[in-house]
């Protein structure tokens, strides 16, 4: 399979990859759009003319962004609470051109579970987005060229999805393993949509933003940050050469969300604005997408695991 390429390098910004693109009349949702990469994604999409809904647990946190960027609004959404997801979907009206599954949590220090018994990182990063997409499927179908973007991470290279114990009920809880598994799930989520919703014209892809300083790392301890070369011995942040700015980190997301260069492309994983090579996952690879993350059988199995949870909610369909 030939990899999809674009003219944009790894240091391009979200605004640069959408330069000259007219998104007038397009309606988009960005989860977690009130901070970090989400802010830059919102700015780029709205800057190209899209009407952008910022879906966030605390809409007040987006007040400054809404005032700054025309064509935006903020709506409450708690991805860890399926009732909140259901309410968001029921309140949506009209077509939806693009859903950007951007929000997430990283390396919660202790195991937490939601009302459904799902480990909190898996529930927030993956299950909430799955429920959101399922609840908004018909809205996506009504758009002309609908897209779903799953913001994953290079962490998907490190952990396969453990179908035997996804909630860490029997194995010891490990903050990074739980995070990495949730990011693998997001890639499988995009693969699943590409397989099951192609008949509706819905495309889905995933991406890894790269290394960026955002509040996503707020749960990482000093020793971990120092091991990453991102903090000095006094606790001050350092910026290694391979780190991107938030605007650069949001570029691949914006590209997948709206660039005409990706029309019709589905079920692929991207990093640094290019389609990633499929590699064997494990401790060694530093780039690419793990074979287990794009495995069609695993995508189907994860879909079948998740859908009954969503179907318990009366507004959801498969």
């Amino acid at each position: 399979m030939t990899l999809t390429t674009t003219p944009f390098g790894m240091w391009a910004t979200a605004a640069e990859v959408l330069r000259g693109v007219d998104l007038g009349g397009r309606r988009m949702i960005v989860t977690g759009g009130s901070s970090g990469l989400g802010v830059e994604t919102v700015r780029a999409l709205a800057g190209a003319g899209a009407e952008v809904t910022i879906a966030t647990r605390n809409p007040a946190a987006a007040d400054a962004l809404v005032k700054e960027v025309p064509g935006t609004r903020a709506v409450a959404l708690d991805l860890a609470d399926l009732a909140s997801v259901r309410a968001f979907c029921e309140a949506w009206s009209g077509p939806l051109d693009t859903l950007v599954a951007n929000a997430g949590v990283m390396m919660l220090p202790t195991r937490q579970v939601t009302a459904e018994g799902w480990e909190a990182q898996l529930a927030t990063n993956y299950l909430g987005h799955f429920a959101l997409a399922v609840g908004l499927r018909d809205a996506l179908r009504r758009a002309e060229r609908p897209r779903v973007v799953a913001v994953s991470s290079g962490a998907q290279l490190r952990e396969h999805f453990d179908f035997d114990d996804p909630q860490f009920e029997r194995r010891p809880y490990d903050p990074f393993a739980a995070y990495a598994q949730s990011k693998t799930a997001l890639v499988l989520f995009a693969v699943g949509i590409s397989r099951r919703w192609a008949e509706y014209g819905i495309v889905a892809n995933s991406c890894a933003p790269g290394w960026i300083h955002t509040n996503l790392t707020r749960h990482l301890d000093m020793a971990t940050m120092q091991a990453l070369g991102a903090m000095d011995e006094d606790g001050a942040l350092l910026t290694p050469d391979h780190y991107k700015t938030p605007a650069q980190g949001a570029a691949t997301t914006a590209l997948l969300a709206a660039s005409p260069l990706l029309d019709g492309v589905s079920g692929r994983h991207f990093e640094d604005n290019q389609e990633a090579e499929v590699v064997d996952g494990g401790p060694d690879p530093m780039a690419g997408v793990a074979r287990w993350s794009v495995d069609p059988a695993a995508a189907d199995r994860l879909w079948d695991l998740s859908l009954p949870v969503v179907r318990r909610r009366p507004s959801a369909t498969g």
Side-chain angles (χ1 to χ4, degrees):
M1 181 180 69
T2 303
L3 298 180
T4 302
T5 61
T6 80
F8 303 107
M10 67 178 294
W11 305 115
T13 66
E16 288 169 352
V17 302
L18 294 183
R19 185 170 294 151
V21 176
D22 181 6
L23 300 180
R26 306 279 292 278
R27 306 176 72 215
M28 304 185 175
I29 294 170
V30 178
T31 67
S34 62
S35 65
L37 299 181
V39 169
E40 298 302 331
T41 303
V42 169
R43 284 184 176 136
L45 297 175
E51 173 191 313
V52 183
T53 295
I54 302 164
T56 176
R57 283 197 304 171
N58 179 18
D63 284 349
L65 182 61
V66 170
K67 291 177 182 177
E68 171 199 340
V69 182
T72 61
R73 63 171 185 148
V75 178
L77 173 67
D78 183 349
L79 289 162
D81 179 358
L82 292 187
S84 174
V85 177
R86 181 173 72 252
F88 183 96
C89 294
E90 290 174 344
W92 184 268
S93 62
L96 172 62
D97 293 276
T98 302
L99 171 61
V100 179
N102 166 79
V105 294
M106 179 181 183
M107 290 182 66
L108 296 178
T110 60
R111 180 179 180 268
Q112 303 174 35
V113 296
T114 64
E116 291 73 31
W118 281 55
E119 186 276 320
Q121 293 188 81
L122 185 59
T124 303
N125 298 348
Y126 163 70
L127 184 65
H129 284 124
F130 176 84
L132 187 64
V134 169
L136 293 172
R137 186 196 66 179
D138 289 343
L140 287 162
R141 288 177 61 180
R142 289 195 289 272
E144 185 176 349
R145 294 184 301 276
R147 299 184 181 189
V148 176
V149 181
V151 181
S152 180
S153 163
Q156 53 77 29
L157 287 163
R158 303 291 177 252
E159 291 286 334
H160 71 286
F161 192 91
D162 189 337
F163 287 99
D164 293 327
D165 188 20
Q167 315 307 340
F168 290 84
E169 295 170 306
R170 295 182 297 279
R171 54 182 167 145
Y173 174 74
D174 179 278
F176 179 77
Y179 174 71
Q181 175 184 247
S182 75
K183 291 301 182 176
T184 294
L186 276 168
V187 183
L188 292 171
F189 164 58
V191 172
I193 289 177
S194 72
R195 288 168 58 76
R196 295 179 182 243
W197 293 355
E199 64 182 295
Y200 307 129
I202 301 171
V203 303
N205 295 286
S206 58
C207 64
W211 296 90
I212 309 104
H213 279 307
T214 72
N215 64 2
L216 185 66
T217 60
R218 63 189 179 276
H219 296 296
L220 273 62
D221 58 27
M222 183 181 292
T224 301
M225 291 292 286
Q226 289 175 338
L228 295 172
M231 184 173 286
D232 66 19
E233 60 184 15
D234 297 319
L237 289 179
L238 301 173
T239 304
D241 290 342
H242 62 278
Y243 268 54
K244 299 180 181 181
T245 66
Q248 292 166 336
T252 308
T253 303
L255 186 81
L256 296 178
S259 173
L261 295 175
L262 278 299
D263 281 349
V265 175
S266 192
R268 313 287 182 89
H269 183 76
F270 287 74
E271 57 189 6
D272 297 335
N273 300 306
Q274 311 294 331
E275 184 180 349
E277 181 183 359
V278 178
V279 299
D280 290 330
D284 297 326
M286 299 302 295
V289 60
R291 207 171 303 281
W292 57 51
S293 296
V294 292
D295 177 19
D300 287 345
R301 189 176 179 185
L302 180 58
W303 194 284
D304 292 339
L305 173 69
S306 309
L307 192 57
V309 181
V310 175
R311 276 183 167 162
R312 289 199 288 269
R313 306 304 182 178
S315 66
T317 62

